[in-house]
Amino acid sequence: MDLIKIVSCLEDGNIIHCGGNIRDTYHELSERAEELNLQAAMVYLVSPMPLKAGLLEIMRAHEPGAQEKLTITEIMTAIASIERETWVFMDHFEDLTGKAAGKYLWLHTNGRVNYMAGLTGTFRGEVQSFYSTFRKLNPSRCLDGDSIDVSVTVMALISVFASLCYLRVGLEYGLLATSAIWFALIVFRTINYIVR
């Protein structure tokens, strides 16, 4: 990935990389922080969940001895009061729940926290407000609200085609039409299992 483009995007807001992880990007930026003159504290989260663990990691980038006994609200208030900018790199954006996404979004709007997230699947609908703050690094690979998932339609068409082929063979040899429908359902179920 183009590190200069990523730094520029992170200075402006949140970015998301669809279809891959961003751990290597985090390590490259950490190694080249002096060369690129980066002032932001950088944190890597394998997953944004559980929420409290993620928030503690963000806080520990500034205060290494932060206590675990703090509540989520206290941690968020402490992070929002930090003057230095924080860049949070997180993989598995699809693991986010609506409540956790709201907390991370609050930190972005009320604090100096920007995110780079890796998305490898589809996310929950209640995360959409947080997802909408992200700029997509590779829009063609992102499946979001503007995209249409046609996998079920394609599986249904393949099943119908398979049933028609089976029906034709069945009629030539005297088999019942119900066996063709049964076969189509098995094909659909099998394709659905493989895709998911």
Side-chain angles (χ1 to χ4, degrees):
M1 284 189 233
D2 182 9
L3 293 182
I4 301 203
K5 178 182 178 184
I6 290 171
V7 168
S8 173
C9 291
L10 278 170
E11 287 172 347
D12 294 337
N14 300 332
I15 53 175
I16 196 158
H17 178 66
C18 300
N21 70 35
I22 48 102
R23 185 172 143 211
D24 295 336
T25 305
Y26 165 75
H27 288 302
E28 283 183 56
L29 280 175
S30 296
E31 291 171 2
R32 297 182 59 193
E34 279 187 39
E35 178 186 332
L36 296 170
N37 196 25
L38 300 179
Q39 303 301 317
M42 292 186 280
V43 180
Y44 175 72
L45 304 177
V46 175
S47 174
M49 300 303 291
L51 176 63
K52 186 173 182 179
L55 294 175
L56 274 172
E57 285 297 316
I58 295 169
M59 191 166 137
R60 286 184 177 145
H62 301 283
E63 299 173 22
Q67 297 180 8
E68 290 186 28
K69 294 181 179 180
L70 298 172
T71 66
I72 289 176
T73 306
E74 291 171 335
I75 296 170
M76 290 177 59
T77 305
I79 294 170
S81 66
I82 295 171
E83 292 295 321
R84 186 175 174 201
E85 192 169 344
T86 308
W87 292 351
V88 179
F89 297 81
M90 65 172 77
D91 277 321
H92 304 290
F93 183 84
E94 64 276 3
D95 292 346
L96 269 175
T97 62
K99 180 181 177 182
K103 304 287 186 188
Y104 284 119
L105 178 60
W106 186 88
L107 284 177
H108 174 66
T109 55
N110 294 312
R112 296 180 46 100
V113 180
N114 288 339
Y115 302 95
M116 180 175 182
L119 176 65
T120 56
T122 55
F123 54 86
R124 295 175 176 94
E126 62 263 18
V127 178
Q128 182 64 39
S129 60
F130 184 43
Y131 178 76
S132 64
T133 66
F134 284 81
R135 178 177 170 195
K136 299 170 190 98
L137 276 181
N138 52 348
S140 61
R141 299 204 50 201
C142 293
L143 191 65
D144 54 13
D146 299 333
S147 304
I148 299 171
D149 185 11
V150 295
S151 58
V152 173
T153 306
V154 170
M155 289 186 295
L157 289 174
I158 292 172
S159 299
V160 168
F161 178 72
S163 69
L164 291 175
C165 292
Y166 191 76
L167 181 62
R168 181 168 185 249
V169 171
L171 289 176
E172 286 182 22
Y173 296 104
L175 296 177
L176 298 172
T178 55
S179 62
I181 295 169
W182 171 81
F183 183 73
L185 291 173
I186 288 177
V187 169
F188 181 82
R189 183 191 67 173
T190 304
I191 293 172
N192 190 28
Y193 176 77
I194 291 170
V195 169
R196 308 224 186 253

